[in-house]
């Protein structure tokens, strides 16, 4: 039954588990589903009807009255508290219908049109970049650049304009490290056209920006890009990463070192302190096991626990250095598209929200 007189409650939930890992997404969804069920259960007790959806931690609930929406918010806050979670006050609001279904910045980006003559497409790329930067400053709490890169990576780019496109992608990544997986996708799809010096400079800039802040997500993805394109890492940056104690980043760095992609010898004494029986039974077990199993660090640690010794002898590894993200076809085209010719459409990635 459609809601013809409604209130909407928009909620965003901060403070939770670490982002970026697959296990975090699974755990978050398990918790999210429990919260969904509990909210519906509590509202049914008060004969309050609710419609809505949740996408990860962004929720939109529809009620028939202001009073119902306020009661729904009260119950939602209480349920979240039981999981040691809080709502984001800045992003939480109750709005009366009719209301916009998307933000103004979202509409501006999705309605932007790129032309397909070399001269005008170059101008459009610059304009889209400027629009992204301006909107990201106007809406600093929204994922403007993350949304914009999804549009850019689907865009058909003339070969003559790839140099500009590549530079803009690097600039956006330096501004928003969360789009590093998208950068890798674009680079892999167009690997034959990459400007090596630009890539090396971008990797150095991104690492310098994040390594001293302890931004492990950005560091690990940048190192993986360096590995993917065989870009060397400076000794200073590499040593700082080793001393950071971030397991994933150190694993990738040791992989780079093994492939001679670190510019000089590294001091491994600090991390070697974990390479013992205790290291296999605490949070460093993955690093200790993989580095020992692959021979990246010489240590007798695996022989101290029979279980790890046996799985190592059976060739079991949790870090697959041969894996890579799935890619599509290159989005570079060799000639301008004629006025009456349309570019071929590609299938878009779709993630559906949970519905009540």
């Amino acid at each position: 039954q459609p809601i013809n007189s409604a209130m909407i409650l928009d909620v965003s939930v901060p403070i939770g588990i670490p982002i970026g890992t697959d296990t975090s997404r699974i755990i978050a969804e398990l918790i999210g589903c429990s919260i969904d069920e509990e909210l519906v259960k509590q509202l049914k007790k008060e004969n309050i009807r609710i419609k809505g959806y949740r996408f990860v931690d962004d929720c939109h609930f529809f009620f028939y009255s202001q009073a119902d929406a306020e009661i729904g918010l009260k119950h939602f806050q209480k349920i979240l508290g039981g999981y040691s979670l809080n709502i984001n006050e800045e992003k939480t609001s109750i709005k009366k219908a009719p209301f916009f279904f998307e933000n103004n910045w979202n509409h501006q980006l999705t309605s932007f049109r790129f032309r397909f003559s070399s001269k005008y497409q170059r101008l459009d790329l610059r304009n889209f970049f400027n629009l992204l930067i301006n909107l990201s400053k106007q809406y600093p709490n929204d994922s403007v650049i993350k949304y914009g890169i999804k549009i850019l990576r689907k865009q058909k780019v003339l070969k003559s304009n790839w140099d500009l496109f590549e530079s803009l992608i690097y600039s956006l990544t330096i501004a928003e490290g969360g789009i590093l997986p998208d950068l890798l996708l674009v680079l892999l799809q167009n690997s034959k056209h990459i400007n090596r010096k630009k890539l090396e400079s971008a990797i150095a800039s991104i690492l310098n920006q994040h390594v001293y802040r302890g931004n492990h997500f950005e560091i690990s993805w940048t190192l993986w890009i360096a590995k993917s394109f065989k870009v060397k890492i400076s000794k200073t940056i590499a040593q700082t990463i080793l001393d950071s104690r971030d397991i994933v980043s150190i694993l990738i760095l040791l992989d780079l070192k093994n492939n001679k992609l670190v510019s000089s010898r590294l001091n491994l004494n600090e991390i070697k302190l974990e390479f013992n029986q205790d290291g296999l039974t605490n949070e460093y077990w993955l690093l200790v096991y993989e580095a020992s199993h692959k021979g990246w660090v010489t240590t007798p640690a695996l022989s101290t626990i029979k279980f790890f010794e046996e799985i190592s002898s059976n060739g079991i590894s949790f870090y697959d250095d041969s894996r890579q993200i799935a890619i599509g076809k290159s989005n570079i085209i060799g000639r301008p598209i004629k006025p009456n010719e349309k570019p071929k459409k590609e299938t878009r990635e779709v993630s559906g929200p949970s519905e009540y």
Side-chain angles (χ1 to χ4, degrees):
Q1 179 183 354
I3 298 178
N4 47 30
S5 176
M7 304 299 299
I8 182 172
L9 173 61
D10 292 340
V11 184
S12 182
V13 183
I15 309 173
I17 56 180
I19 64 172
T21 64
D22 291 336
T23 51
S24 291
R25 290 296 299 270
I26 294 170
I27 294 170
E29 194 56 31
L30 288 171
I31 295 173
C33 289
S34 296
I35 292 170
D36 297 343
E37 293 177 1
E38 184 63 23
L39 179 61
V40 172
K41 180 181 176 181
Q42 292 299 322
L43 293 176
K44 277 185 177 179
K45 290 180 180 179
E46 301 194 35
N47 294 317
I48 294 176
R49 290 181 293 174
I50 179 176
K51 296 284 185 179
Y53 63 88
R54 173 180 58 79
F55 181 67
V56 190
D57 62 348
D58 288 325
C59 309
H60 299 269
F61 302 140
F62 299 84
F63 297 90
Y64 284 84
S65 70
Q66 173 85 20
D68 287 352
E70 290 174 353
I71 294 172
L73 177 58
K74 180 188 72 174
H75 281 300
F76 193 64
Q77 288 176 309
K78 185 176 180 180
I79 294 167
L80 289 177
Y83 291 90
S84 299
L85 297 172
N86 299 305
I87 64 169
N88 187 328
E89 298 287 351
E90 293 181 359
K91 293 185 177 181
T92 301
S93 62
I94 297 177
K95 301 173 185 176
K96 187 174 181 179
F99 33 73
F100 291 108
F101 281 96
E102 63 179 25
N103 294 317
N104 181 51
W105 63 262
N106 183 292
H107 177 71
Q108 289 186 61
L109 294 180
T110 54
S111 61
F112 193 95
R113 293 293 176 264
F114 293 90
R115 290 167 287 185
F116 289 96
S117 68
S118 181
K119 175 183 176 181
Y120 290 117
Q121 186 186 72
R122 202 169 186 87
L123 179 62
D124 292 341
L125 287 170
R126 289 197 187 99
N127 288 339
F128 188 79
F129 174 82
N130 290 333
L131 178 63
L132 267 183
I133 297 302
N134 288 333
L135 289 174
S136 67
K137 291 179 179 178
Q138 291 178 43
Y139 303 92
N141 295 321
D142 293 346
S143 303
V144 176
I145 294 179
K146 287 184 179 180
Y147 189 87
I149 194 67
K150 307 295 184 190
I151 296 174
L152 276 177
R153 81 181 199 194
K154 303 276 186 182
Q155 178 61 35
K156 293 296 183 183
V157 180
L158 292 168
K159 188 176 181 180
S160 58
N161 289 331
W162 166 255
D163 63 325
L164 174 62
F165 184 85
E166 184 181 10
S167 295
L168 295 180
I169 292 290
Y170 291 142
S171 295
L172 288 174
T173 309
I174 291 171
E176 172 51 77
I179 67 171
L180 277 159
D182 299 283
L183 172 65
L184 176 58
L185 180 63
V186 170
L187 295 177
L188 289 172
Q189 288 179 172
N190 304 286
S191 57
K192 295 180 181 178
H193 306 279
I194 292 174
N195 183 309
R196 185 84 183 174
K197 288 185 177 180
K198 285 184 181 179
L199 175 60
E200 291 172 353
S201 177
I203 287 175
S205 295
I206 296 168
L207 286 176
N208 273 305
Q209 180 181 351
H210 294 286
V211 74
Y212 299 107
R213 300 176 185 175
N215 297 333
H216 304 312
F217 173 87
E218 289 81 359
I219 295 168
S220 59
W221 272 102
T222 306
L223 291 176
W224 190 262
I225 293 173
K227 169 182 164 59
S228 301
F229 295 95
K230 295 180 170 58
V231 174
K232 280 192 172 185
I233 305 300
S234 72
K235 179 183 178 181
T236 302
I237 290 294
Q239 193 65 54
T240 304
I241 294 170
L242 276 178
D243 297 339
S244 72
R245 317 290 280 185
D246 178 57
I247 296 167
V248 175
S249 298
I250 294 174
L251 267 178
I252 303 172
L253 183 68
L254 291 176
D255 191 359
L256 289 169
K257 178 178 177 292
N258 185 61
N259 286 283
K260 298 180 172 56
L261 293 175
V262 177
S263 58
S264 186
R265 292 175 63 88
L266 297 175
N267 183 351
L268 302 178
N269 291 336
E270 186 69 23
I271 65 167
K272 279 185 176 180
L273 295 175
E274 301 294 339
F275 282 67
N276 50 43
Q277 184 174 353
D278 291 338
L280 285 170
T281 56
N282 61 26
E283 66 269 26
Y284 295 105
W285 75 267
L286 181 63
L287 172 61
V288 176
Y289 176 80
E290 287 296 328
S292 302
H293 173 68
K294 295 182 184 298
W296 294 340
V297 176
T298 304
T299 168
L302 296 184
S303 62
T304 62
I305 297 180
K306 188 176 181 180
F307 170 76
F308 286 107
E309 185 177 30
E310 287 185 358
I311 64 172
S312 177
S313 65
N314 282 289
I316 295 174
S317 177
F318 304 96
Y319 173 81
D320 187 348
D321 56 4
S322 66
R323 290 291 294 273
Q324 192 54 275
I325 62 173
I327 62 172
K329 295 181 180 178
S330 170
N331 56 324
I332 296 177
I333 53 177
R335 61 176 179 82
I337 295 176
K338 297 176 182 178
N340 60 346
E341 182 183 1
K342 293 183 179 181
K344 293 181 180 179
K345 291 184 178 180
E346 294 188 7
T347 303
R348 286 186 175 271
E349 298 176 2
V350 178
S351 297
S354 301
E355 294 188 358
Y356 290 90

